[in-house]
Amino acid sequence: GGMVTMASSPAATGAMTIQYKTINIKTGPGITVWEITSHIREMLEESGVKNGFVNVISRHTTTALTINEYEGRLRDDMREFFAKLAPPSHPYLHNVIHERPNPGEDTERVVANGWDISDPKVLEAWRNQEPINAHSHLLSMMLGNSETIPVADGKMMIGQWQNVLFLDLDGDRERTVGVQIVGIQ
């Protein structure tokens, strides 16, 4: 048998604030892992929020966020594990670029994003810029794209060895992480 105990902070009072900031990261090739806890701590301190939460969101479909230990050998294990979990060489349908986009919704999304693919030259340009990266999308779905961290007494309530990690699963790119700080100053 174990035992559960509970503790709480006193009720917070003060001005409510909501702030949105970004972290920009230039990643390297392949799967890269970035510790962003220090950036978030700095933003939290600048915000003056004492009690509330921080919501962190990756703004890309081939990236992820997680909370875990940031240690060199573990990062190597992550890359090896992810390659086994979603092998880049698998024949994913998403990677058959010459058959994309599908008619209907897929084509509408491409057009809505500024590609007039009714023009064969534009369609070819769109296909040429599309990476072979289905494995990265699948890993992103499994890992998740956001984390919410409670804030008490001006500090993120994460464990001693926990860090907020940003993972680029399809680098070498410019990436953006959104950070929303909500709470009472």
Side-chain angles (χ1 to χ4, degrees):
M3 184 170 86
V4 176
T5 59
M6 296 176 57
S8 63
S9 297
T13 59
M16 178 74 165
T17 185
I18 301 173
Q19 300 177 26
Y20 183 81
K21 302 173 184 230
T22 59
I23 300 169
N24 298 307
I25 302 169
K26 171 67 176 111
T27 67
I31 295 175
T32 55
V33 182
W34 300 83
E35 186 279 324
I36 60 172
T37 315
S38 56
H39 299 288
I40 299 167
R41 278 193 181 115
E42 184 178 315
M43 291 174 170
L44 179 59
E45 187 175 305
E46 289 171 2
S47 77
V49 167
K50 298 299 178 204
N51 294 289
F53 63 88
V54 174
N55 184 265
V56 187
I57 185 163
S58 168
R59 297 181 47 193
H60 308 278
T61 60
T62 57
T63 62
L65 287 163
T66 192
I67 296 176
N68 213 302
E69 186 172 358
Y70 185 71
E71 188 268 331
R73 294 175 70 87
L74 181 58
R75 291 193 305 273
D76 292 340
D77 289 338
M78 286 183 219
R79 284 187 282 272
E80 186 179 318
F81 177 72
F82 295 152
K84 290 177 185 173
L85 192 61
S89 61
H90 183 81
Y92 302 103
L93 297 176
H94 177 76
N95 291 345
V96 184
I97 304 294
H98 72 275
E99 293 183 11
R100 292 179 45 211
N102 286 344
E105 288 180 6
D106 292 350
T107 296
E108 290 170 15
R109 270 192 291 282
V110 171
V111 171
N113 279 289
W115 293 89
D116 178 12
I117 58 173
S118 63
D119 178 337
K121 289 183 181 182
V122 174
L123 175 60
E124 181 181 357
W126 176 79
R127 286 177 173 160
N128 287 340
Q129 62 83 44
E130 277 292 291
I132 306 296
N133 63 357
H135 67 288
S136 300
H137 288 284
L138 296 170
L139 289 169
S140 175
M141 286 181 236
M142 293 180 69
L143 291 165
N145 289 300
S146 67
E147 292 289 344
T148 300
I149 305 150
V151 172
D153 299 322
K155 300 197 181 330
M156 290 189 290
M157 295 289 102
I158 56 177
Q160 176 180 358
W161 296 102
Q162 288 184 316
N163 290 278
V164 182
L165 305 179
F166 171 77
L167 293 86
D168 189 338
L169 306 164
D170 190 35
D172 182 13
R173 301 194 188 196
E174 297 281 338
R175 301 298 199 168
T176 303
V177 176
V179 178
Q180 188 161 51
I181 301 168
V182 178
I184 297 171
Q185 294 177 314

